[in-house]
Amino acid sequence: GDSVTQMEGPVTLSEEAFLTINCTYTATGYPSLFWYVQYPGEGLQLLLKATKADDKGSNKGFEATYRKETTSFHLEKGSVQVSDSAVYFCALSAAGGSYIPTFGRGTSLIVHP
Amino acid sequence: EADIYQTPRYLVIGTGKKITLECSQTMGHDKMYWYQQDPGMELHLIHYSYGVNSTEKGDLSSESTVSRIRTEHFPLTLESARPSHTSQYLCASSAPSLPRGEQYFGPGTRLTVT
C-alpha cells in the first residue's frame, strides 16, 4: 500500500539556519504530494503541494520539489524563523485513488532565537 | 480562508460520561473526516463521510460514532468516555473541486477523560 516516511524529530535549529525535512514515499502511479503544517494549539493547514513530477511547490519561503526518480518530496527553507516552529506533515494522495491522504508521522521543528 | 469549526476546544470530563464533539464547515464541502492525534503527533483516521447519510469507519478502531444529517455538520459522539479516549480530535473537510488529498482542518478538540 501507499506510505510516507519522514525524518524523525525534533529538528532543532537556530534562527536563520537552513532547513531540510526529508520525505520519501511509496505509491503506485503518480500521486499528488503535500506538506501540511500544524502550529501549536491549531489544526493542520496546507503549506504547499505538487501534483506531477518535477513540479516545485512553494509558500512562505518553503519549497519542495516532486522527484519521481528518488520518490522524494523534501521540504526546504533557506532561513528559518522562530515563528516556523511547528510540526510538519508530508502526505500523498494516489492518482485516481481515495480522497483520503496518507500522512507521514510528522516532524517537529523547534527554532531558537 | 478555511471555515471549519470545532467545539469545544478543550474538554475535561469524567469516566462514563456521554460527550459529543461538534464540527461544522461553511464551505459546502461534501466530504468530512475525523482524525485522532496521539501525543507523538501521528494522525489516525477514525471516521469519514462522503455525503449526507453516508458514514464509514476509518483505519483506527474507535468506540465513537458519527452522523451526517446535514452537509455542514459532522458530530462525533462517545457514549461512555474512558481515560483511553484522552486525545486530540481533528475534524477536516474536502471537496471534489480540490486535488485529491487536499483537506481543510478545524482547530481541534483536546479531550481529557479523568
Side-chain angles (χ1 to χ4, degrees):
Chain A
D2 299 339
S3 67
V4 174
T5 302
Q6 292 181 235
M7 61 190 290
E8 287 196 23
V11 174
T12 305
L13 295 173
S14 297
E15 205 164 26
E16 300 183 3
F18 184 85
L19 168 71
T20 299
I21 300 178
N22 290 336
C23 171
T24 57
Y25 67 88
T26 301
T28 54
Y30 293 86
S32 294
L33 300 174
F34 306 86
W35 277 101
Y36 285 84
V37 59
Q38 185 178 28
Y39 297 104
E42 298 182 12
L44 279 70
Q45 56 185 269
L46 181 67
L47 179 60
L48 54 84
K49 64 188 175 190
T51 56
K52 60 182 188 295
D54 300 324
D55 268 2
K56 178 184 285 188
S58 61
N59 186 25
K60 299 181 180 179
F62 291 88
E63 293 183 339
T65 301
Y66 187 158
R67 301 286 189 201
K68 179 67 176 175
E69 63 276 12
T70 55
T71 61
S72 65
F73 194 54
H74 305 320
L75 183 68
E76 297 182 335
K77 187 175 185 183
S79 176
V80 294
Q81 305 301 311
V82 172
S83 57
D84 293 327
S85 298
V87 180
Y88 293 81
F89 292 88
C90 186
L92 72 81
S93 181
S98 167
Y99 282 89
I100 301 168
T102 299
F103 286 96
R105 300 182 73 165
T107 301
S108 176
L109 171 66
I110 301 169
V111 181
H112 293 293
Chain B
E1 182 90 14
D3 295 312
I4 181 164
Y5 309 98
Q6 291 186 243
T7 57
R9 292 293 312 277
Y10 303 92
L11 180 61
V12 180
I13 200 162
T15 298
K17 299 292 186 183
K18 178 180 179 180
I19 58 171
T20 296
L21 307 185
E22 301 288 348
C23 176
S24 294
Q25 50 93 8
T26 58
M27 298 172 284
H29 287 177
D30 58 337
K31 298 173 180 57
M32 297 188 74
Y33 315 83
W34 275 105
Y35 291 90
Q36 187 172 338
Q37 187 170 30
D38 64 28
M41 308 309 282
E42 189 171 0
L43 294 169
H44 302 282
L45 181 69
I46 51 175
H47 296 283
Y48 62 98
S49 167
Y50 280 179
V52 171
N53 295 325
S54 156
T55 61
E56 301 288 346
K57 289 186 180 293
D59 304 323
L60 181 68
S61 175
S62 172
E63 293 160 344
S64 58
T65 59
V66 293
S67 63
R68 190 87 183 277
I69 298 171
R70 303 197 314 268
T71 297
E72 63 271 23
H73 193 215
F74 191 41
L76 181 145
T77 298
L78 280 166
E79 291 292 333
S80 180
R82 296 213 296 267
S84 60
H85 296 139
T86 294
S87 192
Q88 167 91 327
Y89 292 85
L90 293 170
C91 181
S93 70
S94 67
S97 58
L98 298 173
R100 288 174 189 264
E102 185 169 340
Q103 296 180 328
Y104 286 95
F105 282 80
T109 293
R110 182 161 296 281
L111 173 65
T112 302
V113 183
T114 60

